[in-house]
Amino acid sequence: MKKSTIIFFTVLGILCNAQNFKTKRGIISLDGTHVAKISNKSSIYTFMDLNETPMYTIEFIDKSIVDSVRDSYIKLNRVYNRDKTIELDYISPSAFSGEERSAVYTSIKGLKIIDNKGINIKNLDDIFKNIPKRKLDTKTKDAYTTRSKIDKLNIEVNKVGEIISNGIPVGYFTNLPVSFGSEDTITDKTFIDIEVYDAKSKYIGKYITTTKQIKTANGKIFTIYREMSGRASLLKFPTYKAIAERMAIMDPSFIKVQEKVIVGDVVKGNAEK
């Protein structure tokens, strides 16, 4: 038997044995039998038994981590225990990812919570007892590491161009455009690069306005992109805060994370002077 024929019958067998599901007017049918119900509010899908008793919810999350890296996953929650929410990868054809059909597909094919007898409570409980580890690729893991570092720095930019980290001035911008102070995003069409210095006036790097690139004093370059689904990546206008954050990641010597707060001696109100 030819290899192509073997593949054909293998695929055909899989298709014949696959469970067919349908959702119509909030009723989930599996192989023609009603097995559960579903409702939707603000992208949170509530799954119920046929008596309309809520059992669990699925919420689709698609968020930006840092730069152009995004993370998509689901939050699974038992209705009777709202405090217990877990984050999971989901299996769903991209054609209907993030929609009702995707939530049903994930429940049946991915998590196997719904079968031909209805909502399988045992399988649902097993997921919460033995939470599957998320399968993050290297790019996503690195993005979360970068995000964690940025969050610890807690960077802000005040109205005069000072860069503040955890309440302490750590640097400042120069060559600021006329719109600075009224807008936090750099949109002015100027050929003058915006420079960054630390608190001791040491040159750290610059934002090249013409190419939308960040370049450190030691030559590292980072181009700011925005991912567009189904389209090419586009250059975007950054905020001053985003530039300071990225500069801190590219040059670790720029801003140091304060591990502890140092305060002066505590003096009681009635102490002698």
Side-chain angles (χ1 to χ4, degrees):
M1 188 179 290
K2 292 182 178 181
K3 184 178 181 180
S4 58
T5 306
I6 295 174
I7 294 173
F8 171 77
F9 281 107
T10 301
V11 173
L12 182 63
I14 293 172
L15 293 174
C16 290
N17 292 322
Q19 294 172 305
N20 296 313
F21 68 90
K22 183 187 295 183
T23 305
K24 186 176 181 180
R25 296 178 182 176
I27 300 176
I28 302 170
S29 299
L30 190 57
D31 293 331
T33 303
H34 296 340
V35 290
K37 292 187 177 182
I38 185 173
S39 66
N40 171 30
K41 184 177 181 181
S42 300
S43 298
I44 298 178
Y45 296 88
T46 300
F47 288 80
M48 304 165 281
D49 62 17
L50 293 176
N51 294 322
E52 298 189 359
T53 302
M55 296 295 180
Y56 66 95
T57 63
I58 283 181
E59 179 182 3
F60 289 94
I61 306 296
D62 177 49
K63 67 179 184 180
S64 173
I65 308 172
V66 66
D67 307 321
S68 61
V69 182
R70 303 189 67 83
D71 187 16
S72 298
Y73 56 94
I74 66 168
K75 284 186 177 181
L76 182 67
N77 175 257
R78 285 301 304 265
V79 171
Y80 70 80
N81 185 2
R82 288 292 183 186
D83 293 331
K84 185 63 174 179
T85 301
I86 59 177
E87 297 178 354
L88 303 169
D89 295 320
Y90 65 93
I91 302 170
S92 178
S94 59
F96 47 81
S97 179
E99 300 176 358
E100 180 181 85
R101 187 167 171 79
S102 182
V104 175
Y105 186 100
T106 299
S107 294
I108 296 173
K109 306 288 187 178
L111 303 177
K112 303 188 185 304
I113 299 173
I114 297 177
D115 54 32
N116 56 8
K117 294 181 180 180
I119 296 177
N120 191 318
I121 300 299
K122 181 182 181 301
N123 286 356
L124 181 60
D125 287 339
D126 286 344
I127 291 174
F128 280 86
K129 290 177 182 177
N130 305 291
I131 302 173
K133 290 185 178 181
R134 295 201 55 213
K135 298 175 183 178
L136 300 176
D137 57 28
T138 302
K139 184 178 180 180
T140 306
K141 288 180 180 178
D142 290 345
Y144 272 116
T145 299
T146 300
R147 181 76 263 166
S148 177
K149 292 178 181 178
I150 289 174
D151 290 342
K152 288 180 181 179
L153 294 174
N154 191 24
I155 292 175
E156 297 293 338
V157 178
N158 65 19
K159 295 298 183 181
V160 296
E162 279 188 309
I163 301 169
I164 312 296
S165 175
N166 290 310
I168 301 172
V170 292
Y172 57 91
F173 286 98
T174 63
N175 300 336
L176 292 169
V178 294
S179 64
F180 179 78
S182 60
E183 296 182 4
D184 62 358
T185 301
I186 305 172
T187 58
D188 291 46
K189 294 181 179 179
T190 173
F191 293 99
I192 301 176
D193 296 334
I194 297 172
E195 297 183 340
V196 177
Y197 294 82
D198 68 10
K200 296 181 180 180
S201 295
K202 175 187 173 183
Y203 175 67
I204 301 299
K206 62 184 177 180
Y207 168 68
I208 306 172
T209 56
T210 53
T211 60
K212 297 184 179 63
Q213 290 179 314
I214 296 172
K215 185 176 183 179
T216 65
N218 57 10
K220 291 183 180 179
I221 296 177
F222 179 83
T223 304
I224 300 175
Y225 287 104
R226 176 179 62 208
E227 290 284 350
M228 301 295 289
S229 179
R231 297 169 58 186
S233 298
L234 302 177
L235 291 169
K236 69 176 182 179
F237 294 106
T239 62
Y240 297 96
K241 177 181 177 180
I243 290 176
E245 290 175 341
R246 176 51 59 179
M247 199 70 78
I249 295 300
M250 295 172 72
D251 185 352
S253 66
F254 174 31
I255 303 174
K256 299 290 186 180
V257 176
Q258 299 295 320
E259 297 296 339
K260 61 181 180 179
V261 177
I262 301 174
V263 298
D265 295 333
V266 177
V267 180
K268 294 182 179 180
N270 296 327
E272 293 182 2
K273 295 183 180 180

